[in-house]
Amino acid sequence: MDQSAVTALPDSTGFRLMAVHAHPDDESSKGAATSAAYVEAGAEVLVVTCTGGERGDILNKDADELAHAHRDLAGLRHQEMATAASKIGIKQTWLGYVDSGLPEGDPLPPLPFGAFATIPVEIAAVPLVRIIREFRPHVITTYNEFGGYPHPDHIHTHVISVFALKAAADPEYHPELGEVWQVPKFYYDNSMNLEKFTTLHEAMVERGLESPYTWRLEQAEGEEDSWIVRAQRHKNTTRLHTSHYFGARDEALLSHHTQIDPQGFFFAIPRDLEKEIYPYEDFTLIESTIETELPETDLFAGLR
């Protein structure tokens, strides 16, 4: 998709966008600039967060010194989420499930009892159906079947989102959850795509800078069955020029103080370079009840 195809977002008053994420901080690291852009364009944007992030590690060494982080990580992450939401301008709600953690080892240990990823989809999707019927989004975005990356909660977020998308439109499915709603357009967030990684990597190398994408590209070349390679089956269909909102995205990211290291991966690319070389956020249109012409530069294309 070439840069000449990029256009500014039109007025989006009256449209509703829902993004379904696994943990607090995912809404800031994936699609935050798009959310901020649509809020400014007049759309209602709702983030649904499936878990409280209770089992997340403290990834910022400065936050590791906070007693609150060790005493009540779940409570602190709720506070961080509220701050991040205010930076982007979104509404946000919780499904209320417990973080599954990221299992490590070979073989992998079982997930904790009652964790989100262990709850059958028929049960876990029920509150999401209710939210869809109440909010009545024109667009839903979430992760692909690999979770964007292979965290069990991300994968389960995909599973319940696909289930809820169909169930919300089924008049036979739990009518007590509200009036049925057919979501017109359903997208996968495509933040983890090789075109983006390669473009930014090459720009960093050309400028004599250390690229944070080196290991990901090496993995993609060396492991044909790696999650990075498998995720590429979903090609970009929809690209939004969102560089004007990278500042709001970064403020939201930094609001997740326990999770985001200001010196870490998310801030390894100089912002001026990122805005010049890859000023986009990418999505893949998976299902649509209306006709639209690909490639798109607007999630609400075909609905206006």
Side-chain angles (χ1 to χ4, degrees):
M1 208 179 296
D2 88 58
Q3 294 192 31
S4 64
V6 175
T7 58
L9 289 179
D11 179 73
S12 299
T13 304
F15 288 102
R16 295 177 297 278
L17 167 64
M18 175 187 289
V20 187
H21 288 288
H23 312 103
D25 77 62
D26 289 322
E27 83 298 325
S28 297
S29 61
K30 304 166 191 67
T34 294
S35 294
Y38 276 113
V39 169
E40 187 165 286
E44 289 184 73
V45 180
L46 174 66
V47 164
V48 179
T49 312
C50 294
T51 81
E54 300 87 348
R55 291 192 171 96
D57 295 324
I58 298 174
L59 301 175
N60 180 358
K61 59 180 177 57
D62 292 334
D64 196 44
E65 299 175 3
L66 297 176
H68 190 176
H70 294 278
R71 182 182 71 252
D72 180 20
L73 183 59
L76 182 54
R77 295 198 71 181
H78 273 63
Q79 292 179 17
E80 293 174 342
M81 180 68 250
T83 302
S86 71
K87 300 296 184 183
I88 308 170
I90 58 172
K91 300 176 181 179
Q92 187 267 339
T93 191
W94 305 88
L95 280 197
Y97 294 114
V98 177
D99 187 353
S100 302
L102 184 59
E104 295 180 326
D106 187 12
L108 292 174
L111 295 175
F113 176 79
F116 172 54
T118 69
I119 299 174
V121 61
E122 296 83 1
I123 298 172
V126 170
L128 183 57
V129 172
R130 176 183 56 78
I131 293 169
I132 291 172
R133 288 179 177 176
E134 289 178 353
F135 185 65
R136 306 174 80 78
H138 299 93
V139 170
I140 288 181
T141 69
T142 194
Y143 318 128
N144 60 35
E145 64 269 36
F146 308 110
Y149 77 99
H151 188 298
D153 285 339
H154 284 243
I155 294 168
H156 209 49
T157 296
H158 160 82
V159 171
I160 73 163
S161 296
V162 171
F163 182 95
L165 179 78
K166 294 177 171 56
D170 181 357
E172 302 297 322
Y173 183 85
H174 288 285
E176 75 279 5
L177 296 177
E179 185 179 351
V180 296
W181 178 251
Q182 174 71 63
V183 179
K185 300 181 78 178
F186 179 58
Y187 290 86
Y188 291 160
D189 172 272
N190 204 22
S191 300
M192 304 289 188
N193 72 80
L194 283 178
E195 180 185 357
K196 174 182 177 179
F197 294 169
T198 302
T199 301
L200 290 172
H201 171 81
E202 290 176 350
M204 290 287 281
V205 171
E206 286 174 4
R207 288 159 177 78
L209 301 172
E210 183 177 354
S211 168
Y213 297 106
T214 300
W215 72 269
R216 295 183 182 218
L217 295 174
E218 289 175 349
Q219 185 183 44
E221 289 183 3
E223 300 179 32
E224 292 184 1
D225 196 42
S226 71
W227 64 268
I228 293 177
V229 173
R230 285 182 287 148
Q232 302 317 304
R233 68 180 60 175
H234 299 295
K235 304 301 182 184
N236 292 336
T237 65
T238 309
R239 171 168 289 167
L240 283 76
H241 196 293
T242 56
S243 61
H244 183 67
Y245 303 92
F246 285 178
R249 176 201 64 188
D250 290 349
E251 288 185 15
L253 275 166
L254 291 170
S255 299
H256 293 285
H257 184 56
T258 60
Q259 303 300 301
I260 304 298
D261 181 354
Q263 307 303 319
F265 171 80
F266 289 110
F267 296 93
I269 304 291
R271 286 301 175 252
D272 288 347
L273 184 151
E274 182 184 20
K275 290 179 178 180
E276 174 192 350
I277 300 299
Y278 210 90
Y280 317 115
E281 289 187 333
D282 299 316
F283 298 86
T284 303
L285 179 62
I286 297 299
E287 292 188 23
S288 180
T289 65
I290 50 93
E291 291 186 9
T292 183
E293 185 176 340
L294 301 179
E296 302 173 321
T297 57
D298 175 16
L299 296 177
F300 298 121
L303 292 165
R304 298 184 184 277

